Amino acid sequence: MKQNNKFYALISLPGIIYLLSIVLFPIIFTVYLSFHKYNFIETPLSNIRWIGLGNYITIFKDTTFWNSALNTGIYLVVGVVVELAIGLGIALLIFRLFKNQNIVTSLILLPSMMAPIVIGLVFRFMFNPQFGVFDFLLSKMGIVIENSVLGNRSTALLGIIFADIWQWTPFIAIIILSGLIALPHEPFEAARIDGANGFEILTNITLPLLRPVLTVAILIRMADIVREFDKIFVMTYGGPGAASEVLNFTAYRINYINFDMGVGSAYVVVIFAIVILLSVAVFKTFYVNEF
Amino acid sequence: MKKTLRISLLTVALMVFLVGWGVQAADDKPLKGVTITFAVQSMPTMTKAIAMLPQFTEETGINVKVDLMPYDSLVQKITIDLTTGTKQYDVFWMEPTWLGRFKNDFEPIDRFINDPKIGIDLKDFDPVFFEQTQEYDGKIYGLPFDACLLLLAYREDVYEELGLKVPETWEEYLENVKIIDAKSNVRGVSLMGKRGQPVFYEFLPYFWGFGGEFFDDNMKPALNTPEGVKALEYMVELSKYAPAGVPTFGWEESATEFLQGRAAHAFIFSDWVPALKDPASCTVTKTWNFMKTPKGPSEGSPVGTINIGINKDISEEKKQAAYLLLKWITGYEVQKELAVIGGAPSRLSVLNDPAFATEEFRYFKAIKETFPIEKVPMKIPEFFKLNEALSVQLSSALSGEKTPKKALDDAQKSWEEIMKEAGY
Amino acid sequence: MDYRRRKAIQKFLQVSVIAIVLLVFLFPIIWTFITSIKDNVTAWSMPPKIFFSPSISNYVEIFKERGLHHNIKNSIIVALGATAISLVLGTPLAYMFARTRYRFNNFLFIFVFASYILPPIVLSIPLYVAAARVGLLNTYLVVILAHSSFCMAFTVWMLRGFFEEIPVEIEECAMVDGCSNLMTLFKVTLPIATPGLVATVIFCIILSWNDFMYALVLTGMDTRTLPVAVGQFLTPHGMFWGQMCAAGVIATAPVLVFSLFFQRYLIRGMTAGAVKG
């Protein structure tokens, strides 16, 4: 056993060193900066001033933060719930029909594999009020949105979430499908003998058994949504006003446009903390198996 | 006799040639072999200028390594590069609004310009334009590669059809917009309403035209003045005569409305001229023109001029080489070539060149007329923050979330905070 | 008879629903493709023209004038490099996570997770400065290093799941037969985990292939990758929807190929760890 320890240590050491050196240093540096007053352009790094929690206080006092946090929250809840619901439906349908993966599953997966920047640009094009196909279809259905979808403060964020749902629902569906395929048969047969109907089977057996899979799906989506940037950057730039501005976009703006890297780093730390806290919360709530 | 003459002539020619060659080798190419790195955005005129670089290398012996990149990439890289002093780039693209932010990183070039041997004549530029775009604290930091003016494009055919006169004031302009919107099958105007730089630049001509100024004499922000509010109300009013979706229009969308013949007016940066001339992307190639920006009680028109600047942290030899590149690329020869493919030259000698007195270059008139009212929005280092803070509010006003007054009140508040923090 | 008919109708309905779902999710991609073979003026007309004469001029332009093949080459080099580093360094780490229950594993795993969710801004500026100091700026290596940060996290996360599925008994048998730990890993475990390795490679390639934020700051003219080049078609100086769509199609093509031919591995990879816990 002792020899084993040495073996594992030896083989994993290069990886650990590499990982820590490429990730640990920037993280520590970011945390360090978040306690300082530091503007990338104006202050040389040697001249930065310790201000304790000053940057964090600035953030929490700022209405921009709360607006962005609210938008992030809406994005999270709507995005995850809709993606899970539709994804589950699609997965059940495919499972019912084909019992396994086939050409349908590989085609449907395509949106999730595309480059986010391409998706953002394509959706910006399709949402264009003049020559975009979405607004054209909406107007054909008799729905007129003032200033168009992305230009209206009540619908801009929804437009982005729509693109997100399009991009990630297939991914969720396929994860759930694989979960379904891997489920044991016995509980279902027993339930059928007991005369349970389809809905009862779904809520009492399928969903509880899928819990680990669903957890992973939620986890991945949450981490990605909190870090969402590309689509917003291309589609609305946070506008109109700040109607579609989310936390990560605010962080980008402060870091890269204002170059207030003290406050910006504090933003990054806050976002990081949110992702970790949410992950732990989801884990504790849904995940029963040992990790 | 004849033979002697011929021989002596030949000798003279040979001598002239040899001497000339010798002089050139000794004096004209003192920087032979120096290599400089040049960071610029890829755009049609720049690509063309890059293609002409071998000429420059032949003349001076200086090698130029070019890094062409997209705009976002360029801004971030130059900022990081200058700030961290990594000296990756010797010569680069810069905009007048950057002058304050990077004043310690750019090399002032007055001494080269005043040098009798390699200097240039500044009389070839409009003085207001030059002062606004190239100078900071009385020093010259660059030369204009492209004037890049924000010009008001309009449809000559629509004007003719409805018997309209090119407006001189914002009042007349609004009237024309209304008439066109009501009487023709194109919308009156298109606006850049997207948050970020677009809506900011769209606002400037109205703001200045109605007599607004960003700061009072004590550098205190002055956004929510009656003039400012009137300007924003005017812009919101204009947007009623624009195609739907103004708050989503970046430069691209707004210009496209005009290019596609769906709007009769639009503010378009002059570097869109190549697109305006290209039938593959523009349906009104023959009937558009620029006008001089209308005025109100006051006037002003923003520039985005593309300058070329020099890194302060490089060797003297490289600085000289960089200056020569600057001089060449902004010089008459190159600029004339670029004007042909749609560049907006800032040299008066090019603008007044008889070769361009044709229908195709009808828009040169508006360029020349606009120079004296050109303004750089601001050159202080806080520009980026202020711009961002204002653009959010402008976009709110356009989308109807806030009244113009409320939007500017809020913008004023955030500007005051930013300026206080910056220590003004 | 009645029952059978009902079954048939049900089946028909289900198939139609699947077909509609498929159409909905493929629609933007199909639309992109259609736009890519229109010229700008046709692309901008509303209502959309269904009948038009397709042209490949956008494709010709992005290769001939924009030199997109250079970007493709760069993207391939970067993706392969990042994948290689991630695989070589990440596989043993994943193996360690799967086979041991050290106390610091959890702590370490947070770092793996952290490197996956790391905002690019945190890493790109230090990397830029460091690279400039040692003269590596605008080389493939810088981008490869940046991409390897999230690729490696993914490798560890995914392969851990695959290794956990391999029974320890198989390895113990090999060791009883006199194999050393290392030999067991190479001769027994890795061959069994081949599907996992294939899936990991594909995922790493796709992740690196799609990255925009790191590449924006860390690539130079000679190393610019495809996503940055795609962003280039929308500029303050002109808008080239047709070319942008054509480039988007090119950027999506390899992903399509992967999902058609390697979908078995892909889906296994995505759900490794998820399904088995």
Side-chain angles (χ1 to χ4, degrees), chain B residues 124-125 330-340 343-357 361 364 368:
Chain B
D124 203 15
F125 299 100
T330 61
Y332 176 81
E333 305 294 325
V334 177
Q335 289 294 314
K336 197 178 166 185
E337 292 282 320
L338 301 185
V340 173
S346 37
R347 282 188 172 272
L348 299 175
S349 55
V350 179
L351 285 165
N352 293 327
D353 194 302
F356 297 120
F361 297 95
F364 274 19
K368 278 183 281 184

Side-chain angles (χ1 to χ4, degrees), chain C residues 6-43:
Chain C
R6 227 182 68 203
K7 261 283 189 226
I9 291 174
Q10 208 181 357
K11 182 112 189 168
F12 173 75
L13 278 178
Q14 285 171 342
V15 171
S16 351
V17 172
I18 283 283
I20 291 171
V21 167
L22 207 57
L23 195 68
V24 166
F25 281 102
L26 292 184
F27 177 71
I29 299 171
I30 297 169
W31 193 256
T32 310
F33 176 71
I34 292 177
T35 310
S36 77
I37 51 174
K38 287 177 174 174
D39 60 53
N40 260 347
V41 173
T42 324

Side-chain angles (χ1 to χ4, degrees), chain C residues 225-271:
Chain C
T225 56
L226 201 50
V228 184
V230 174
Q232 211 162 318
F233 295 115
L234 268 188
T235 68
H237 317 287
M239 179 165 57
F240 308 90
W241 285 116
Q243 293 187 15
M244 194 280 289
C245 287
V249 169
I250 301 270
T252 311
V255 176
L256 177 68
V257 171
F258 275 139
S259 46
L260 283 181
F261 292 99
F262 296 96
Q263 64 133 321
R264 195 162 57 93
Y265 298 108
L266 269 179
I267 291 167
R268 281 281 288 107
M270 249 163 43
T271 50

Side-chain angles (χ1 to χ4, degrees), chain A residues 157-208:
Chain A
L157 186 61
L158 291 179
I160 289 166
I161 298 178
F162 179 81
D164 196 81
I165 291 171
W166 173 80
Q167 185 186 0
W168 289 109
T169 301
F171 176 76
I172 303 283
I174 299 301
I175 287 196
I176 296 177
L177 178 67
S178 324
L180 285 171
I181 293 168
L183 288 186
H185 294 285
E186 299 81 17
F188 293 94
E189 277 154 24
R192 222 162 280 138
I193 291 167
D194 289 348
N197 67 27
F199 186 71
E200 283 166 352
I201 293 181
L202 178 68
T203 49
N204 293 334
I205 302 174
T206 318
L207 286 183

